[in-house]
Amino acid sequence: MCGIAGYLGKTKLDRNIIFNNLKLMRSRGPNHQSFCQHEIRHKSLTLFASRLSIIDLNHRSNQPIKDDNFTLIYNGEIYNYLEIRDELIKKGIKFKTNSDTEVVIKSYKVWGSRCIEKFEGMWAFAIYDEIKKLLFISRDRFGEKPLYYYFKNNSFIFGSEIKYILNLDSKKNSSKLNYNKLKNYLVNGYKVVNKNNETFFKDIKKLDSGTNLYFDLRNMTIKFEKYLKKNDLVSIKKHSIKENIDNVKILLENSLKLRLRSDVPVAFCLSGGIDSSALVSIAKKKFNHKVKCFSIIDDDPNYNEERNIDLIQRDTGCEVEKIYLKNKRNFFGRLENLVINHDSPISTLAYYVHSFISESASNQNYKVILSGTGADEILTGYYDHFLLHLYETKNTKEFKKNLFFWTRYIKPFIRNPILRNSKLYTKNRNFREHVTFNNKIFNRFLKNPLRLKFSEKKYNNSLLKNRMINELFHESVPINLHEDDLNSMNFSIENRSPFLDTKLVKYCLSIKNKNYIQNGYGKFILREAMKKYIHKDVRLDRRKRGFNANLKTMVNFKNFNLYEYLSENKDVKELVNIKRIQNLDLNKNYTNSLNKFIFSLINIKIFLKHFSL
């Protein structure tokens, strides 16, 4: 796990800019920072790398790494590097290190850009070919590792974080803000932030997940190749429920086994839900791994999962570090530091909360932490999945039973009034207003309201499957990965997501729709697959609390005037109708959606304070 960056321009980089960039990259790679330079006709190329040592801690595996005419800078982990290394050795390839980094560059030498077909893991890397004058840049299938780029005014700049691009662009052309993106975030919430490759900076883009980028340095041209075809992820397998359960169990065990490979200590996020509980329980009971967990505890009963956390602790014998939010102070100071570090507003309060886990793990010298990201999206973990499942089974003999269980066991837990309607999709199969809940109300707070239109990409004819794929690639998972990565790397920690294993994802998306939810249990396949691992009371807990918190736990609104706070910044007043804020009573009619909106307003104020021109 590392940080990478690259600069290509007509002028050579100033040494102060170079060393400032290495300083900025230190949190992503505290063990080593370095750079190399290449001159190409009238252009200069500088490649940067900072290293967080996880595999082969020896200095021989530092970056940039050079092999003949190829130079590599690499951020990520190829979990199956040992298997690929053996394959390369059989082809006569010799190695100087024990790192996955060397496996990446040797693989590219042998197989070219098709090397990524061999990789199971997370990555964002760049390889420079001195002979072809070509930069090959690749980002992993699910976007676990970030990669941003700026291509304008005869400059091509890229990096793991936006701040690297802002620093390397000496003319500061890349620093113009994307105000439409800010408004979209404020009104529609975090689920729309990844509908395209835009960022909160107008000319800085994200390289899409599952994409290769080819940059020809001779004629300054860029070409993209989408190597992951999302439509191909879904191919219905006629497996029985028992086969689904057995296969998911084996695939998750195999995925976790690969992701426990590390030459440094590994920890776990434990929320109390079935996803993180599955990882912890398998690690302890199957692999006899010494398990250390970090858990957030919020007193709000809507988010408090301490009972389940205690059950997992007693059942597995793992060690749990509990972080109580009520004991945390300095909300605004900490949030300001996070916004500056992330180069963007924080998507939801959940990621403010998550930062305490990264900090605590770092303080105890952990360099790797595992989380349950992706399970909800590939195995039906959300309340609207139940309604989509009802729609998919409406003409089957199972429908009455499904409706009975939903009415009895799920509906009582649902707080969103829209999702309490069992006929939601039967009446309107295109209904998606719950994704951007209350956006019409929040749009009125803008000085220039948006034209509200929700978009969903079409990958599959099944409403349920299509929703899951959109959540996986464009809504919840990209945000989780983005925020987890920045929080973790801010404290020099690598985040791993075992549910985002290629074979596991493909298999889960191939399950027949009717099999996903049974007897009122979402993620039924996972629950059954984990029978011998997870404590029964946790495994069969139907209520979904989600990894989140109540803003009131951290902010005393009796002593906080939101109107005055926002009025301090002139840029906020250009964006938001401040007078309407005066009518908000934060101690009355306080809903979950208002909780998110207020948090977003605070974030925008901080972001504009530090990044507006």
Side-chain angles (χ1 to χ4, degrees):
M1 177 65 68
C2 306
I4 64 170
Y7 164 86
L8 176 67
K10 287 186 175 181
T11 58
K12 202 169 183 177
L13 282 176
D14 179 84
R15 287 184 67 82
N16 287 334
I17 291 177
I18 289 174
F19 288 109
N20 189 52
N21 212 61
L22 293 174
K23 184 179 178 181
L24 288 173
M25 297 174 75
R26 192 167 293 154
S27 68
R28 292 192 79 94
N31 301 115
H32 182 261
Q33 301 91 39
S34 191
F35 70 98
C36 64
Q37 292 184 300
H38 303 267
E39 300 302 316
I40 308 102
R41 295 180 185 174
H42 303 296
K43 294 181 280 290
S44 178
L45 173 68
T46 307
L47 299 175
F48 298 83
S50 61
R51 185 183 181 205
L52 174 63
S53 303
I54 303 292
I55 303 291
D56 188 7
L57 309 185
N58 194 290
H59 65 86
R60 65 193 172 194
S61 294
N62 290 342
Q63 301 176 43
I65 184 170
K66 188 169 170 37
D67 195 321
D68 294 334
N69 56 292
F70 300 103
T71 303
L72 167 70
I73 51 174
Y74 160 57
N75 171 28
E77 296 288 351
I78 305 302
Y79 302 120
N80 62 336
Y81 76 101
L82 292 176
E83 290 77 7
I84 299 171
R85 178 189 169 98
D86 288 343
E87 187 177 349
L88 289 167
I89 288 173
K90 288 175 183 176
K91 289 180 176 289
I93 304 298
K94 297 186 184 303
F95 287 85
K96 297 178 181 177
T97 76
N98 296 321
S99 68
D100 61 327
T101 305
E102 191 178 11
V103 169
V104 171
I105 197 167
K106 299 287 191 187
S107 296
Y108 185 78
K109 285 184 69 178
V110 172
W111 295 300
S113 62
R114 296 196 67 180
C115 66
I116 56 166
E117 296 171 13
K118 302 276 186 181
F119 298 161
E120 179 54 51
M122 52 182 182
W123 67 82
F125 65 77
I127 295 177
Y128 174 54
D129 184 333
E130 292 180 40
I131 295 176
K132 293 182 179 179
K133 310 301 180 192
L134 180 75
L135 260 177
F136 172 69
I137 300 175
S138 181
R139 191 173 180 214
D140 65 69
R141 296 175 185 90
F142 305 110
E144 292 186 67
K145 291 298 102 194
L147 201 288
Y148 303 93
Y149 67 92
Y150 168 80
F151 181 34
K152 207 170 183 180
N153 302 320
N154 293 311
S155 293
F156 177 63
I157 311 172
F158 65 91
S160 301
E161 295 186 23
I162 286 174
K163 61 175 60 65
Y164 308 162
I165 296 174
L166 297 175
N167 174 66
L168 294 171
D169 175 22
S170 58
K171 295 181 180 178
K172 304 304 175 189
N173 292 315
S174 60
S175 58
K176 297 172 188 171
L177 296 186
N178 185 344
Y179 284 94
N180 275 338
K181 187 87 169 179
L182 285 167
K183 293 196 305 189
N184 216 358
Y185 155 78
L186 182 59
V187 169
N188 291 313
Y190 72 95
K191 286 192 176 181
V192 303
V193 172
N194 280 280
K195 290 294 183 182
N196 53 43
N197 71 340
E198 292 182 3
T199 70
F200 290 101
F201 294 84
K202 193 174 181 181
D203 296 314
I204 298 176
K205 310 296 181 186
K206 286 177 294 191
L207 181 63
D208 288 336
S209 61
T211 303
N212 295 330
L213 183 159
Y214 302 83
F215 195 94
D216 190 323
L217 278 69
R218 292 168 297 190
N219 52 28
M220 297 288 283
T221 56
I222 194 169
K223 185 177 79 172
F224 299 94
E225 173 191 32
K226 290 190 178 294
Y227 66 84
L228 179 68
K229 307 293 189 261
K230 298 178 180 69
N231 305 62
D232 296 342
L233 286 172
V234 181
S235 56
I236 304 299
K237 297 186 186 297
K238 296 180 180 179
H239 290 168
S240 67
I241 287 183
K242 184 182 183 308
E243 289 173 314
N244 291 157
I245 293 165
D246 292 342
N247 288 328
V248 166
K249 174 178 173 290
I250 292 167
L251 288 169
L252 182 56
E253 288 171 348
N254 291 343
S255 172
L256 183 57
K257 183 178 180 181
L258 281 179
R259 284 157 179 82
L260 286 173
R261 284 179 173 174
S262 172
D263 293 336
V264 296
V266 175
F268 292 78
C269 290
L270 179 60
S271 68
I274 187 172
D275 312 331
S276 58
S277 298
L279 301 179
V280 169
S281 300
I282 295 171
K284 192 77 169 84
K285 294 182 179 181
K286 182 173 179 65
F287 300 120
N288 198 30
H289 190 81
K290 185 180 179 182
V291 175
K292 175 63 182 278
C293 304
F294 293 87
S295 299
I296 293 290
I297 309 296
D298 185 355
D299 284 347
D300 187 327
N302 289 317
Y303 305 110
N304 191 323
E305 296 196 78
E306 188 168 15
R307 176 181 176 275
N308 282 1
I309 290 166
D310 289 342
L311 285 171
I312 294 297
Q313 182 179 22
R314 288 196 297 269
D315 185 56
T316 63
C318 67
E319 184 183 350
V320 178
E321 179 90 10
K322 292 181 181 179
I323 302 162
Y324 291 89
L325 293 181
K326 67 179 179 181
N327 298 331
K328 300 301 178 184
R329 299 291 181 267
N330 191 30
F331 171 80
F332 290 97
R334 186 182 185 88
L335 181 60
E336 187 159 4
N337 288 335
L338 284 174
V339 171
I340 294 169
N341 175 257
H342 287 214
D343 307 309
S344 69
I346 307 304
S347 302
T348 73
L349 186 60
Y351 305 111
Y352 171 86
V353 169
H354 176 271
S355 70
F356 290 108
I357 288 181
S358 300
E359 183 179 38
S360 295
S362 176
N363 288 340
Q364 296 185 39
N365 298 316
Y366 284 95
K367 285 189 172 185
V368 177
I369 196 160
L370 278 68
S371 65
T373 298
D376 285 325
E377 292 75 14
I378 65 173
L379 285 158
T380 64
Y382 297 123
Y383 284 139
D384 69 327
H385 290 165
F386 285 90
L387 301 181
L388 289 160
H389 184 253
L390 287 174
Y391 173 85
E392 299 278 5
T393 61
K394 66 182 185 298
N395 295 322
T396 69
K397 62 183 180 181
E398 291 95 357
F399 177 75
K400 283 187 178 180
K401 183 182 73 170
N402 292 338
L403 179 59
F404 168 78
F405 281 114
W406 176 83
T407 304
R408 182 167 183 177
Y409 295 114
I410 303 304
K411 187 177 179 179
F413 292 135
I414 300 174
R415 287 182 287 158
N416 186 328
I418 292 173
L419 299 181
R420 292 175 62 83
N421 178 8
S422 64
K423 297 179 181 179
L424 185 66
Y425 293 106
T426 306
K427 288 182 177 179
N428 181 4
R429 73 191 308 273
N430 296 315
F431 185 89
R432 299 293 182 275
E433 288 182 25
H434 64 288
V435 179
T436 54
F437 188 52
N438 281 343
N439 64 341
K440 291 177 184 176
I441 295 173
F442 302 143
N443 201 30
R444 297 176 196 148
F445 286 91
L446 293 182
K447 271 204 165 180
N448 297 300
L450 292 168
R451 292 182 63 187
L452 299 177
K453 187 180 179 182
F454 179 76
S455 64
E456 182 179 75
K457 294 197 177 183
K458 178 74 178 288
Y459 294 110
N460 193 265
N461 289 328
S462 160
L463 285 191
L464 176 58
K465 285 272 169 61
N466 203 63
R467 185 96 281 275
M468 291 162 73
I469 298 173
N470 271 270
E471 289 163 344
L472 179 60
F473 288 105
H474 307 297
E475 294 178 18
S476 45
V477 167
I479 282 293
N480 289 342
L481 296 173
H482 167 80
E483 301 283 6
D484 284 356
D485 173 83
L486 286 167
N487 276 344
S488 299
M489 294 309 295
N490 187 31
F491 293 100
S492 305
I493 291 177
E494 172 179 292
N495 191 73
R496 297 181 177 181
S497 305
F499 283 98
L500 294 179
D501 177 88
T502 309
K503 290 178 182 177
L504 179 61
V505 170
K506 283 186 175 181
Y507 186 83
C508 289
L509 291 178
S510 77
I511 293 171
K512 288 183 285 189
N513 286 342
K514 68 177 186 177
N515 291 357
Y516 284 117
I517 296 172
Q518 297 282 316
N519 303 328
Y521 285 108
K523 288 191 275 200
F524 176 78
I525 302 297
L526 180 61
R527 292 177 196 273
E528 291 297 298
M530 295 295 103
K531 245 181 182 176
K532 80 172 192 177
Y533 289 123
I534 303 179
H535 189 285
K536 183 180 178 181
D537 290 352
V538 177
R539 186 174 63 84
L540 299 181
D541 185 1
R542 285 187 173 92
R543 183 169 185 174
K544 181 171 183 60
R545 291 172 177 85
F547 184 77
N548 210 334
N550 191 331
L551 188 57
K552 283 190 172 183
T553 303
M554 286 154 285
V555 180
N556 183 353
F557 286 122
K558 290 181 181 178
N559 301 321
F560 174 66
N561 189 310
L562 182 63
Y563 171 78
E564 290 180 3
Y565 178 77
L566 296 176
S567 298
E568 293 171 358
N569 188 289
K570 63 180 179 60
D571 295 295
V572 174
K573 289 189 276 190
E574 290 297 315
L575 196 68
V576 179
N577 189 332
I578 297 292
K579 289 183 179 179
R580 288 180 180 262
I581 301 294
Q582 284 182 303
N583 299 324
L584 275 178
D585 187 343
L586 303 186
N587 293 292
K588 269 175 89 177
N589 304 319
Y590 193 81
T591 63
N592 189 44
S593 60
L594 183 59
N595 182 69
K596 293 175 182 176
F597 180 66
I598 294 166
F599 183 74
S600 297
L601 279 170
I602 294 169
N603 270 266
I604 278 184
K605 189 258 181 151
I606 295 171
F607 179 76
L608 290 174
K609 172 186 172 183
H610 289 280
F611 293 99
S612 60
L613 297 172

